[in-house]
Amino acid sequence: MTVLRSVPAFLTLASSLGSVLASPTNQIPISTSSDDVDDTPLPVVIWHGLGDTFSAEGLQSVGALAEKVNPGTFVYYVRLDESASNDRTATFYGNVTQQVAKVCEDLASHPILSTAPAVDAVGFSQGGQFLRGYVERCNFPPVRSLVTFGSQHNGIVDYKACSAADWLCKGAMALLHGNTWSSWVQSRLVPAQYFRDPLDLGSYLEYSNFLADINNERVLKNETYAKNIANLENFVLYMFEDDTTVIPKETSWFEEVNGTETTPLRARSIYSEDWIGLKTLDRKGGLKFKTTPGEHMQLSDEVLEEAFTEFFGPFKKSSSNNDEAPSEL
């Protein structure tokens, strides 16, 4: 019997980057010389979601599974503080722009990651779009394959109620409602920085601290963002079929949901005009759409093992070009 793994990266509520934004780093081409060919798997970087921490047992077991599938894998758990408690708090409170900048610095200075030819990366819930921000804004060490589970790539339109005992979440929730677009909220409350209401795109484009930028939705486009995403080998988007935590769940596939109307990614300008490189990546077979049964962050070992087998592993490994995309190129 398959045992569901419930990673506590639920979305109940769902300074230093100035220089990075001013001149973001182009992805360093991944070398393909014969000297680099060996059986050593690439390191794996894992970024957890809202309400979780780098040291959580569930997250650590995911890393152990990655090492089991590809023995010898070095696993790095993104953390915004060495204190597990503070790391969890940072999933609710903080400036995402600065948080991504810190991760850029941490990975670039890591003695193992910085010397690897590339890394693979997996993001759970909000950790998925934050890792995408890493790829777009700095990407050293470069990411080969990025796999995201239930991530809010096209934002959220609502915040689900917090659990009764989660006072950290409730405190953030109280500040979020009615104040989403204030400069104070946009610079301090994490889920507000990927809030996106199709009925109020004007406010979003003007005030969004994070998502509007990494989605390249403003008039001035950052070409480096598109180049770095297009240079990925794989960008794998998992959507939870029964997700009622992320609203809307289709955001995991970059779909636009406006009331009862849903616009698939390939029918949107972000794709057709290739704002962030998704069309280019898709045309070379690197953009993959997948579903997994269950609620938000309910993952079986089978699903994780399948992903780690197909997309992670030795440097020269290649994967299939099959996906579950609902429409044609």
Side-chain angles (χ1 to χ4, degrees):
M1 181 179 68
T2 300
V3 179
L4 284 180
R5 176 191 308 279
S6 183
V7 181
F10 55 90
L11 192 148
T12 52
L13 150 80
S15 91
S16 51
L17 189 59
S19 59
V20 177
L21 289 173
S23 55
T25 306
N26 282 296
Q27 173 164 326
I28 298 174
I30 300 176
S31 170
T32 57
S33 70
S34 59
D35 292 340
D36 294 322
V37 179
D38 61 37
D39 293 330
T40 304
L42 290 180
V44 171
V45 174
I46 300 177
W47 198 330
H48 61 80
L50 189 73
D52 206 352
T53 175
F54 71 91
S55 62
E57 182 179 353
L59 199 71
Q60 294 287 321
S61 66
V62 171
L65 190 61
E67 203 281 332
K68 174 187 173 185
V69 171
N70 294 294
T73 299
F74 174 78
V75 180
Y76 178 84
Y77 304 91
V78 170
R79 75 285 311 274
L80 296 172
D81 196 283
E82 293 302 321
S83 159
S85 176
N86 291 344
D87 186 52
R88 180 176 188 269
T89 298
T91 69
F92 291 99
Y93 300 97
N95 187 313
V96 179
T97 292
Q98 295 173 2
Q99 291 180 347
V100 172
K102 179 186 182 329
V103 174
C104 288
E105 294 171 359
D106 289 348
L107 269 59
S109 62
H110 192 280
I112 295 177
L113 301 178
S114 63
T115 58
V119 299
D120 290 321
V122 55
F124 294 112
S125 196
Q126 68 181 22
Q129 63 261 29
F130 297 167
L131 275 171
R132 176 164 63 88
Y134 165 86
V135 172
E136 294 179 15
R137 290 178 170 176
C138 53
N139 208 35
F140 179 79
V143 173
R144 175 182 63 175
S145 292
L146 173 60
V147 179
T148 65
F149 289 93
S151 297
Q152 300 85 47
H153 290 295
N154 198 51
I156 56 174
V157 299
D158 198 5
Y159 307 108
K160 188 168 181 179
C162 304
S163 62
D166 195 341
W167 296 105
L168 185 64
C169 172
K170 286 187 173 184
M173 185 77 148
L175 292 169
L176 283 166
H177 278 294
N179 295 286
T180 299
W181 301 123
S182 72
S183 59
W184 194 94
V185 167
Q186 280 297 313
S187 63
R188 291 173 175 84
L189 298 180
V190 171
Q193 295 166 64
Y194 52 85
F195 182 86
R196 183 183 184 279
D197 185 352
L199 298 179
D200 189 15
L201 287 180
S203 296
Y204 163 75
L205 292 173
E206 183 173 358
Y207 300 114
S208 173
N209 178 56
F210 178 71
L211 190 68
D213 178 71
I214 66 162
N215 281 6
N216 245 351
E217 293 183 85
R218 296 187 171 112
V219 174
L220 183 62
K221 309 298 183 190
N222 191 317
E223 295 182 0
T224 298
Y225 291 2
K227 289 178 183 178
N228 286 356
I229 292 296
N231 280 335
L232 288 170
E233 184 172 307
N234 297 292
F235 186 10
V236 189
L237 308 169
Y238 278 87
M239 176 171 63
F240 292 97
E241 294 175 353
D242 306 308
D243 199 334
T244 59
T245 298
V246 170
I247 305 172
K249 67 179 183 180
E250 293 83 1
T251 184
S252 299
W253 281 5
F254 283 94
E255 294 189 355
E256 178 89 299
V257 178
N258 193 342
T260 59
E261 181 180 347
T262 300
T263 305
L265 170 62
R266 289 171 176 148
R268 300 184 60 211
S269 296
I270 191 174
Y271 180 90
S272 62
E273 298 177 15
D274 215 13
W275 292 351
I276 59 171
L278 294 174
K279 184 176 182 179
T280 300
L281 181 62
D282 198 12
R283 288 189 165 179
K284 71 176 187 180
L287 184 63
K288 306 177 190 299
F289 303 83
K290 293 181 176 288
T291 60
T292 183
E295 251 287 3
H296 191 61
M297 295 315 306
Q298 287 187 324
L299 282 169
S300 67
D301 283 355
E302 182 181 10
V303 170
L304 289 166
E305 287 184 13
E306 184 179 275
F308 297 157
T309 299
E310 183 174 1
F311 302 111
F312 295 176
F315 181 52
K316 291 290 290 181
K317 179 178 179 178
S318 61
S319 62
S320 71
N321 289 332
N322 296 326
D323 62 40
E324 300 180 12
S327 57
E328 299 299 323
L329 294 179

